[in-house]
């Protein structure tokens, strides 16, 4: 089957990466549009398109599939603006890529005869051009009208992803899981780097020291799952080790104490499920964390 022609509206981090990937996979880009012309032109340098504009409604009409890759809060308004100005054509597929919102944000396109859906790649696009294909081997969730889901799934599979259908009502929790696993991992490692800094270990040494530990832990989770992958003082029941952590954190980095205690509380729960500490030891830890 022929690949659909595509338009991308919202040339930020994901929109630009998606446009480049689609171009590299042989898709014809009918249009690139963004709030500012400069962003659309920058994207066009990596992914040539027939039309490049800051007026999406003037350029997306010829695309089979229109991706609205604006920030989440701009999706509904961008869609309504294109619809109001007659930019959509009946039979088009219109997709957004938000993880948290469902395709009801695109109702204005539906009213113009388009099929609407969402296609969320479970991947972190952080801006800088990366080597390789960020869609390779990832999970992409789709929901929406049947024709939109089919078009989204075909494109996602073609880019190398595995596709799942997601219940639109479940997208809040599903997206919270992704935020915890990606964004909160960054915040968690910021905490580890800060503790190291207070111990006189700088960021570069932190990378050297912590990355093999992080990667080993991830491999253990992948191979054995949670809770088996849990090691360390809470899983061993080493109460005095954790007491020392709390004392030092209180003295040197008090702003991190409550987060250490909150994560410790959750870790006690994992250790109980692993079966390596008894109720009494769990109670000792929980008292220290409360
Ligand atoms: N980044 C990720 O890792 C990631 C992963 C999965 C899903 N997503 C989803 O992908 C979408 C885009 O995220 P992002 O991280 O790429 O955001 P971003 O870097 O902030 O880019 C958003 C772009 O939207 C454009 N824009 C805003 N309002 C617009 C409007 N009314 N009309 C046209 N363009 C408009 C902006 O254009 P100008 O530059 O022209 O001002 C900006 O470049 C979001 O729905 C997000 O949830 C992102």
């Amino acid at each position: 089957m022929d690949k659909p022609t595509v338009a991308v509206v919202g040339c930020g981090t994901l929109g630009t990466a998606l446009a480049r990937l689609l171009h590299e996979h042989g898709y014809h880009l009918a249009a690139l549009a963004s709030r500012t012309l400069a962003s659309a032109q920058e994207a066009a340098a990596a992914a040539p398109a027939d039309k490049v504009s800051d007026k999406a409604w003037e350029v997306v009409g010829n695309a089979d599939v229109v991706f609205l890759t604006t920030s989440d809060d701009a999706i509904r308004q961008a869609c309504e603006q294109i619809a109001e100005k007659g930019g959509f054509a009946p039979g088009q597929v219109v997709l957004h890529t938000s993880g948290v919102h469902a395709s009801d944000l695109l109702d204005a396109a539906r009213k113009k005869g388009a099929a609407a859906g969402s296609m969320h790649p479970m991947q972190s696009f952080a801006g800088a051009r990366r080597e390789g294909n960020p869609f390779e081997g990832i999970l992409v969730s789709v929901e929406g009208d049947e024709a939109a889901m089919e078009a989204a799934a075909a494109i996602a599979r073609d880019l190398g992803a595995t596709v799942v259908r997601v219940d639109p009502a479940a997208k809040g929790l599903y997206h919270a899981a992704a935020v915890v696993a990606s964004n909160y991992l960054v915040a968690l490692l910021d905490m580890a780097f800060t503790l190291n800094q207070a111990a006189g270990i700088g960021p570069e040494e932190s990378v050297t020291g912590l990355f093999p530990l992080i990667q080993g832990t991830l491999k253990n989770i992948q191979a054995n799952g949670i809770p088996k992958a849990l090691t360390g003082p809470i899983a061993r029941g080493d109460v005095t080790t954790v007491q020392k952590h709390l004392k030092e954190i209180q003295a040197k980095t008090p702003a991190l104490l409550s987060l250490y205690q909150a994560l410790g509380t959750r870790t006690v729960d994992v250790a109980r499920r692993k079966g390596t500490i008894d109720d009494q030891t769990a109670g000792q830890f929980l008292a220290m964390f409360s």
Side-chain angles (χ1 to χ4, degrees):
M1 212 174 77
D2 283 348
K3 297 188 189 217
T5 57
V6 175
V8 176
V9 178
C11 297
T13 313
L14 182 123
T16 303
L18 182 64
R20 176 179 64 78
L21 263 180
L22 290 168
H23 169 67
E24 287 171 359
H25 280 74
Y27 287 81
H28 183 88
L29 288 172
L32 286 172
S34 204
R35 184 170 47 188
T36 62
L37 188 58
S39 293
Q41 284 169 334
E42 210 173 302
D50 292 346
K51 293 176 181 168
V52 179
S53 179
D54 56 359
K55 297 179 186 64
W57 54 93
E58 288 183 358
V59 294
V60 300
N62 286 335
D64 299 318
V65 177
V66 181
F67 283 100
L68 292 183
T69 52
T70 69
S71 44
D72 287 354
D73 289 349
I75 294 169
R76 187 189 290 280
Q77 183 252 330
C79 182
E80 285 176 356
Q81 192 177 38
I82 297 170
E84 262 167 38
K85 292 178 186 270
F88 293 125
Q92 269 183 325
V93 166
V94 181
L95 300 167
H96 72 67
T97 55
S98 166
V100 73
H101 295 297
S103 55
D104 57 306
L105 293 189
L106 306 177
D107 282 347
R110 283 192 173 106
K111 286 187 187 129
K112 297 291 176 184
S118 64
M119 174 187 135
H120 175 245
M122 190 80 87
Q123 176 62 284
S124 169
F125 298 81
R129 192 196 152 107
R130 50 198 291 169
E131 295 309 314
N133 173 358
F135 270 71
E136 189 65 50
I138 70 166
L139 199 71
V140 168
S141 72
V142 298
E143 63 75 39
D145 302 331
E146 193 58 35
M149 282 197 288
E150 278 172 22
I155 291 173
R157 285 197 192 101
D158 195 31
L159 296 180
T162 298
V163 177
V164 290
R165 291 189 173 201
V166 64
D167 175 358
K171 285 196 82 171
L173 286 178
Y174 151 91
H175 188 249
V179 166
V180 169
S182 176
N183 310 155
Y184 289 8
L185 179 61
V186 176
L188 188 69
L189 295 183
D190 179 62
M191 178 177 174
F193 278 46
T194 305
L195 291 170
N196 260 348
Q197 189 78 54
I201 299 165
E204 278 177 29
E205 289 163 296
S206 266
V207 169
T208 309
L210 295 177
F211 269 57
L213 180 63
I214 297 162
Q215 279 155 353
T217 306
L218 291 178
K219 279 187 191 145
N220 289 341
I221 294 172
Q222 200 165 28
N224 303 317
I226 297 168
K228 279 191 188 149
L230 184 69
T231 59
I234 294 178
R236 283 194 303 270
D238 278 339
V239 173
T240 54
T241 304
V242 174
Q243 263 165 352
K244 188 164 183 195
H245 294 173
L246 292 170
K247 194 166 157 242
E248 296 282 317
I249 292 170
Q250 173 76 66
K252 307 267 176 48
T253 56
L256 297 178
L257 187 63
S258 61
L259 183 53
Y260 182 95
Q261 289 172 311
L263 290 166
T265 301
R266 183 71 192 176
T267 308
V268 170
D269 186 57
V270 180
R272 291 295 288 130
R273 280 186 275 140
K274 190 180 181 192
T276 54
I277 57 170
D278 58 20
D279 284 344
Q280 196 199 346
T281 311
Q284 281 178 285
F285 281 125
L286 292 177
M288 286 157 57
F289 293 146
S290 63

